[in-house]
Amino acid sequence: ILGLGQTFVILTGGIDLSVGAVLALVVVLSGGLLPQLGIVPTILVAMLVGTVLGVVNGLGVTKGNVQPFVMTLGMQGIARGMAYIYTGGMPIPILDQQFLFLGNGYIFNTIPLPAVLFTSLVVICALILRYTAFGRYTYAIGSNAEAARLSGINVELNKIAVYGLCGFMSAVAGVLYASQLAVAPPIAGEGYELDSIAAVVVGGADMFGGEGGIFGTFLGAIIIGSLSNILNLTGVSSFVQKLAKGALIIAAVIIKARGRKQ
């Protein structure tokens, strides 16, 4: 799910390094607010927080002229710090069974509910990119932002919307994370930005923008997930797994760059 939001950002030629930290903040807020507000208000607050942080990223990139790498890296520190401040560094247990059903429930006692939610989001995002003006503008901005601006596209507004969408996806992922684990730790999502970027890049997206797609990210996520499972089953250290994922990103970017030159 993080990769879906990251796809939109990378298609515009940007990058979001704050997705894991935003997820963590949403996770701890979900755990902390659930006993007080109930399920629906808690989820709405979580979605709002994630979206607002994404919009702030977009405003920093567009209005503040801050490089996406720098802006989202700063937001990573802010969101992660807020998560630790909110919890005091301690995980929050989640006991609401209805909330836990979101991450652990099954439809017809067969199909995992998180898989249905993820598949639905994949289809929705693919339709947005393919059949809406917003999707076409996203590709146009990544291909040539100046040409897009001269064509009448509001580049700044669309970039803000893209980062807002990425923040929203981080919030969705955060809610599912909390409901699956039944606990809300501030350490949640560490390293997830690497996984989300890896899924997008391995799925065929160009880090310079303008090329890629949701189904490519979907396949990239399957590859990354399968790689992690294989390494876990073979007893490979988690430290080595990070090395493998980093090497995979570099290899995918090099292959894409060589193909562009040819």
Side-chain angles (χ1 to χ4, degrees):
I1 293 174
L2 293 179
L4 298 180
Q6 193 78 254
T7 301
F8 282 84
V9 174
I10 288 178
L11 283 175
T12 63
I15 194 169
D16 192 341
L17 300 177
S18 67
V19 290
V22 172
L23 177 146
L25 180 58
V26 168
V27 165
V28 299
L29 286 176
S30 297
L33 296 177
L34 191 60
Q36 307 169 33
L37 302 181
I39 297 176
V40 175
T42 296
I43 292 176
L44 291 177
V45 170
M47 298 299 107
L48 179 62
V49 169
T51 304
V52 167
L53 293 180
V55 168
V56 171
N57 277 333
L59 289 171
V61 170
T62 56
K63 302 296 185 182
N65 293 319
V66 182
Q67 288 295 322
F69 181 92
V70 177
M71 181 65 208
T72 58
L73 185 63
M75 181 58 74
Q76 180 189 81
I78 292 171
R80 182 72 63 182
M82 291 172 66
Y84 275 100
I85 291 170
Y86 184 77
T87 62
M90 300 298 294
I92 302 173
I94 300 175
L95 304 176
D96 191 305
Q97 294 302 312
Q98 289 183 314
F99 182 78
L100 297 181
F101 180 78
L102 289 174
N104 300 282
Y106 287 82
I107 297 178
F108 306 121
N109 294 321
T110 305
I111 307 171
L113 182 56
V116 174
L117 294 173
F118 172 59
T119 305
S120 300
L121 288 173
V122 168
V123 173
I124 292 170
C125 289
L127 292 174
I128 290 173
L129 272 181
R130 187 172 180 85
Y131 295 109
T132 68
F134 175 65
R136 291 191 292 272
Y137 292 167
T138 299
Y139 279 108
I141 292 168
S143 298
N144 191 320
E146 183 61 19
R149 185 185 67 80
L150 294 174
S151 299
I153 297 174
N154 190 329
V155 174
E156 289 190 352
L157 181 60
N158 278 274
K159 280 189 175 183
I160 292 170
V162 162
Y163 281 95
L165 177 61
C166 190
F168 175 81
M169 288 297 180
S170 299
V172 174
V175 169
L176 286 178
Y177 182 104
S179 63
Q180 281 187 323
L181 267 66
V183 66
I187 199 175
E190 283 201 349
Y192 280 20
E193 54 281 336
L194 177 64
D195 289 346
S196 68
I197 294 168
V200 179
V201 173
V202 172
D206 192 329
M207 289 297 292
F208 292 97
E211 186 177 343
I214 293 299
F215 289 116
T217 299
F218 176 74
L219 293 175
I222 291 176
I223 293 171
I224 297 298
S226 300
L227 175 64
S228 297
N229 286 335
I230 291 171
L231 294 176
N232 284 330
L233 291 172
T234 54
V236 176
S237 166
S238 61
F239 305 122
V240 177
Q241 292 185 33
K242 291 181 183 295
L243 185 151
K245 290 176 184 177
L248 189 60
I249 294 176
I250 294 173
V253 172
I254 290 174
I255 292 171
K256 196 72 178 179
R258 289 175 65 88
R260 192 187 306 113
K261 287 181 179 180
Q262 293 174 358

